[in-house]
């Protein structure tokens, strides 16, 4: 379901492309904002024999700069966010620690887009991301392992200009991480659908 929603968000924006007019102007300048939404976490064991999933909320702040190129724009963006997903592998999992918690997330990347209509733009993004994780056992028989793991994030969204230099956005993004705290846990993927409000200046 979450992938269907994500594709619907992206498709809604690009379906509006025919409405693009010659006099549309892409956004430009510095901005700061806040965001929140849904996160789905998928973890696959290192040997590929077990998977675990979890759903949680995600929220954070972002800031960046866009360079307007007329009807298109390019920019840089950073984000700090957090979530509280907690997954647990089934009993068949052979690793020592069956649980994984996610928390702080850090992102720095580039984005590019184009104006669809005056005040509405579509964009794509890609960049470096890292994730704070904790591997644990439900029984508490082993100490927790904490690790900040590197990954890559990519996504797409729609942003809308609002009165008084405000703007809103809705965005889908996927992040892929490997080298988790417990080597038996393999790799993790997060899918997020977020909405945000920002101030451009």
């Amino acid at each position: 379901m979450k992938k269907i929603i994500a594709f619907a968000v992206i498709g809604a924006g690009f379906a509006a492309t025919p409405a693009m007019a010659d006099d549309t102007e892409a956004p430009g300048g510095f901005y700061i904002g806040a965001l929140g939404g849904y996160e789905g976490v998928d973890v696959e064991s290192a040997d590929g024999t077990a998977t675990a999933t979890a759903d949680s909320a995600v929220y954070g702040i972002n800031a960046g700069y866009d360079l307007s190129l007329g009807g298109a724009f390019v920019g840089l963006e950073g984000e700090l966010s957090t979530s509280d997903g907690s997954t647990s592998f089934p009993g068949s999992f052979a690793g020592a620690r069956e649980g994984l918690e996610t928390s702080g997330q850090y992102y720095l990347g580039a984005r590019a887009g184009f104006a669809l209509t005056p005040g509405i733009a579509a964009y794509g993004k890609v960049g470096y991301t890292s994730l704070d994780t904790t591997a644990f056992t439900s029984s508490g028989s082993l100490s927790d392992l904490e690790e900040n793991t590197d990954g890559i994030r990519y996504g797409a969204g729609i942003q809308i200009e609002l009165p008084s230099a405000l703007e809103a956005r809705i965005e889908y993004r996927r992040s892929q991480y490997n080298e988790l705290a417990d080597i038996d846990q393999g790799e993790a993927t997060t899918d997020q659908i977020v909405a945000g409000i920002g101030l451009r200046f």
Side-chain angles (χ1 to χ4, degrees):
M1 175 61 76
K2 60 192 176 189
K3 292 183 178 179
I4 294 174
I5 296 173
F7 287 128
V9 170
I10 297 170
F14 287 95
T17 303
M20 187 167 54
D22 292 338
D23 61 349
T24 55
E25 183 77 15
F30 291 96
Y31 62 89
I32 57 174
L35 54 88
Y38 163 84
E39 176 183 84
V41 182
D42 295 278
V43 185
E44 182 176 358
S45 63
D47 61 10
T49 61
T51 60
T53 62
D55 299 318
S56 74
V58 60
Y59 53 91
I61 57 174
N62 61 357
Y65 176 80
D66 292 325
L67 175 63
S68 178
L69 303 173
F73 70 91
V74 294
L76 297 175
E77 182 176 67
E79 179 183 309
L80 300 176
S81 59
T82 188
S83 63
D84 58 356
S86 181
T87 67
S88 184
F89 284 109
S92 58
F93 177 58
R97 296 171 177 82
E98 80 282 3
L100 183 75
E101 293 180 347
T102 61
S103 52
Q105 302 171 35
Y106 317 93
Y107 169 78
L108 181 62
R111 67 183 205 140
F114 56 89
L116 297 172
T117 65
I120 301 178
Y123 62 88
K125 63 190 296 180
V126 64
Y128 165 83
T129 182
S130 64
L131 175 68
D132 291 333
T133 64
T134 302
F136 66 93
T137 62
S138 299
S139 64
S141 58
L142 294 173
S143 60
D144 294 348
L145 291 180
E146 297 183 353
E147 179 72 23
N148 178 269
T149 183
D150 300 330
I152 184 171
R153 175 179 293 179
Y154 51 91
I158 300 292
Q159 64 186 45
I160 303 172
E161 292 181 13
L162 301 175
S164 302
L166 294 174
E167 62 183 23
R169 68 168 66 179
I170 184 169
E171 180 179 295
Y172 163 76
R173 63 266 194 99
R174 165 169 280 205
S175 302
Q176 296 177 310
Y177 306 94
N178 51 28
E179 299 182 1
L180 300 178
D182 189 318
I183 60 173
D184 293 325
Q185 292 190 350
E187 59 186 30
T189 300
T190 64
D191 290 284
Q192 299 175 347
I193 300 173
V194 298
I197 188 77
L199 174 66
R200 189 173 290 271
F201 52 94

